[in-house]
Amino acid sequence: MDFHFTPDQLALKKMVQELVAKEITPYALEMDKTGEIRPELLKKLDEAGMLNLTVPEEYDGPGLDAVSIALIYEELGKGCAGVATTVAANALASYPVLTSGTDEQKQKFFSVINSGKMAAFALTEPGAGSDAGAVATSAVKDGDYYVLNGTKCFITNGGIADIYVVFANARKSAGIRGLTAFIVERDTPGFSVGKDEDKMGIRASNTCELILDNVRIPAANRIGREGEGFKIAMKTLDAARPFVGAVSVGLAQAAFELAVKYSREREQFGKPIASFQLVQAMIADMAMQIEAARLLVYKACWMKDQGLPYAKEAAMAKCFAADTAMKVTTDVVQVLGGYGYTKDYPAEKYMRDAKIMQIYEGTNQIQRLVIANNILY
């Protein structure tokens, strides 16, 4: 086992740290307040190569391995989990095309995000979250076209994307056996963006509703065969889950560092609270939990890079790291006491941001089912 990063990975980490320190951390609370990512930040992220991380070299992308991508997300997560989520959504939307798309589809899709534009993955609906088989958006074949009708909700990047992967049912009442994936461009007639969600956390990340009203797209935009959508979605989520874990680790690490700094400076009873054993126990527990989460994340990414089965490890990494982020950020608020509960410090933002890690890209309850099924069957 080798726990060292390569020189290239260390250089990449340093570059991202500098970007975060200059362009993200100073503006994180402002973006949280406004509920929008700064437009100039998107430009900076594009210039730094952050918007097309999963694109292979043969399609003019960086061709990064999973460990390197996780390293990037961890650093972005330290700066702002909402910004990290915005970046990660481009990767999430890329995976269906990457794993199951034709060469023509890859050329088309990747050229969009290579040009600095955003993408979105549209699976969730008002009546279909963890139950992907309940997707009600329909896709009716009409000659060389499909006509899509339905509503999607909680779509990350939904309002700022130019290209989407949309899941619809191509076989009425067939459940997951009819689920099919399609590439949809924003300017397609009948496609529109609905309401923005006013969220508790990751507020810099755009999340909104999508409406498809007789959206007519070429059959060539179908990814894979009819009915393969569920398999494509599961492959996509397997690939993305370790990166949710990486963002969670970065978020927890940032909160932890705030607690350490504060506990050294804050005095009670004539001495720093860092000298109190109960505070020390909390700090020690945080450090152990973060390190364990980090190791799970990087093991899952390493297995992916080695071409090994990694669905169980991906679920473990996402679940444990997300739970860790929630526990650590809650404890950090406790260490800061009343100051932790105010918006003068980022502790409460960390706590609000952490909660979504246990919910999106498969709730942690679903992750536990994935883990158990991989063990038992």
Side-chain angles (χ1 to χ4, degrees):
M1 290 176 283
D2 185 356
F3 293 97
H4 293 92
F5 291 120
T6 67
D8 285 347
Q9 288 169 335
L10 290 173
L12 185 61
K13 179 177 181 178
K14 183 180 179 183
M15 182 272 287
V16 180
Q17 285 175 331
E18 291 172 353
L19 173 71
V20 168
K22 183 179 179 182
E23 302 291 347
I24 298 177
T25 303
Y27 304 99
L29 293 179
E30 175 194 332
M31 290 187 290
D32 179 72
K33 188 178 293 185
T34 62
E36 294 179 340
I37 194 168
R38 297 162 57 238
E40 57 267 40
L41 176 55
L42 285 176
K43 184 179 179 182
K44 296 283 186 182
L45 290 167
D46 175 44
E47 290 171 352
M50 298 290 104
L51 300 184
N52 65 341
L53 294 173
T54 54
V55 179
E57 285 183 310
E58 58 265 37
Y59 294 98
D60 299 322
L64 294 176
D65 58 280
V67 170
S68 296
I69 295 172
L71 186 152
I72 290 169
Y73 286 145
E74 183 177 339
E75 295 303 324
L76 291 174
K78 287 180 187 177
C80 177
V83 173
T85 298
T86 301
V87 171
N90 260 25
L92 180 66
S94 301
Y95 285 123
V97 181
L98 187 62
T99 62
S100 307
T102 64
D103 181 65
E104 290 77 17
Q105 288 172 340
K106 291 174 183 177
Q107 295 279 4
K108 177 179 184 177
F109 194 93
F110 295 146
S111 67
V112 173
I113 58 175
N114 282 342
S115 67
K117 295 178 180 178
M118 308 306 293
F121 176 89
L123 175 61
T124 304
E125 296 183 2
S130 296
D131 180 10
V135 165
T137 297
S138 62
V140 177
K141 189 80 182 293
D142 181 19
D144 292 332
Y145 291 84
Y146 281 91
V147 179
L148 276 56
N149 281 283
T151 301
K152 299 291 181 180
C153 66
F154 305 141
I155 306 304
T156 303
N157 288 359
I160 61 174
D162 281 276
I163 196 162
Y164 303 77
V165 172
V166 175
F167 289 81
N169 203 315
R171 302 173 190 168
K172 191 174 182 181
S173 303
I176 61 172
R177 293 186 300 277
L179 197 64
T180 307
F182 300 90
I183 296 172
V184 179
E185 295 170 88
R186 186 187 181 104
D187 59 1
T188 306
F191 181 87
S192 62
V193 174
K195 67 164 186 168
D196 283 346
E197 299 296 343
D198 188 8
K199 306 186 299 297
M200 177 171 78
I202 59 164
R203 291 176 53 79
S205 167
N206 173 264
T207 309
C208 68
E209 177 185 62
L210 301 177
I211 300 163
L212 298 101
D213 182 11
N214 289 321
V215 174
R216 189 177 177 86
I217 58 170
N221 283 24
R222 187 189 69 212
I223 304 172
R225 297 192 300 271
E226 280 192 11
E228 279 193 323
F230 183 75
K231 183 173 76 172
I232 291 169
M234 293 306 102
K235 279 185 180 179
T236 294
L237 293 172
D238 279 346
R241 280 167 180 161
F243 302 138
V244 177
V247 174
S248 300
V249 169
L251 169 58
Q253 183 69 36
F256 170 73
E257 290 172 5
L258 173 64
V260 169
K261 182 176 185 293
Y262 181 86
S263 68
R264 286 170 172 161
E265 296 171 351
R266 172 69 167 170
E267 290 194 0
Q268 290 289 276
F269 307 104
K271 54 186 176 180
I273 64 171
S275 66
F276 301 152
Q277 288 184 336
L278 289 178
V279 173
Q280 291 175 357
M282 293 175 74
I283 296 292
D285 284 344
M286 290 184 218
M288 287 190 290
Q289 291 157 3
I290 293 168
E291 190 61 15
R294 181 178 285 114
L295 291 172
L296 275 172
V297 167
Y298 283 97
K299 181 184 177 183
C301 291
W302 178 86
M303 292 179 72
K304 181 177 187 293
D305 287 336
Q306 300 303 310
L308 300 170
Y310 69 102
K312 179 183 70 175
E313 288 74 16
M316 285 180 170
K318 191 271 186 189
C319 186
F320 188 84
D323 283 349
T324 293
M326 193 70 247
K327 177 68 166 62
V328 166
T329 55
T330 302
D331 286 348
V332 168
V333 170
Q334 189 71 22
V335 170
L336 269 67
Y339 291 108
Y341 204 66
T342 71
K343 291 185 180 292
D344 294 334
Y345 285 80
E348 60 86 30
K349 175 185 182 295
Y350 293 143
M351 186 176 174
R352 287 186 287 108
D353 286 348
K355 187 59 199 173
I356 193 62
M357 304 296 160
Q358 296 177 307
I359 298 171
Y360 67 3
E361 294 190 35
T363 67
N364 278 12
Q365 286 71 29
I366 290 294
Q367 303 312 308
R368 287 172 166 85
L369 290 179
V370 171
I371 294 163
N373 285 337
N374 273 275
I375 292 170
L376 297 171
Y377 303 107

